[in-house]
Amino acid sequence: MAELRSVYMTFPDLDTAMSIAKHLVDEHLVACVNVVPRCVSVYRWEGQVRNEEEVVAFAKTTAERFDAVAARVNELHPFDVPCVVALDVAAGLPAYEKWVAQETAEG
């Protein structure tokens, strides 16, 4: 069975998150993206502490496809340094793991 990854990402707004999510699914880079419409991020950027509203998304893919996912998000994302982080999936329902692997298969 393929090793699953959950990919944690943030976006500046819902439209950007939905557009990139659709690209990732359409291109079979991920099986699914859960978009969470509102969070507040506190972070330091260019020497200043900022407080911004963002959108969080979790995508389901395989370890094999993560580099392609990260590259594609980086291409499409408006931020200079987008948050794209792979989280290992310790276990999942076998049928779900199979579905993710099928949906992200190249070809």
Side-chain angles (χ1 to χ4, degrees):
M1 190 64 58
E3 286 183 65
L4 296 189
R5 293 292 183 271
S6 180
V7 183
Y8 171 79
M9 302 171 285
T10 60
F11 300 95
D13 55 59
L14 186 58
D15 289 342
T16 301
M18 295 299 291
S19 175
I20 292 175
K22 185 169 180 358
H23 279 283
L24 296 176
V25 172
D26 284 347
E27 296 168 18
H28 296 277
L29 295 172
V30 304
C32 173
V33 182
N34 300 120
V35 178
V36 183
R38 184 176 184 272
C39 77
V40 177
S41 295
V42 179
Y43 60 96
R44 184 178 311 278
W45 183 252
E46 297 178 341
Q48 294 183 359
V49 175
R50 298 180 184 216
N51 178 352
E52 304 282 343
E53 190 170 299
E54 293 185 305
V55 173
V56 170
F58 291 93
K60 275 66 93 191
T61 192
T62 62
E64 179 182 336
R65 297 295 268 166
F66 174 73
D67 288 342
V69 171
R72 188 65 170 132
V73 172
N74 196 44
E75 285 175 21
L76 298 170
H77 206 290
F79 289 169
D80 292 336
V81 182
C83 172
V84 182
V85 180
L87 306 172
D88 291 344
V89 175
L93 289 173
Y96 187 80
E97 291 177 354
K98 181 179 177 181
W99 174 74
V100 171
Q102 289 171 338
E103 289 300 313
T104 59
E106 292 185 64

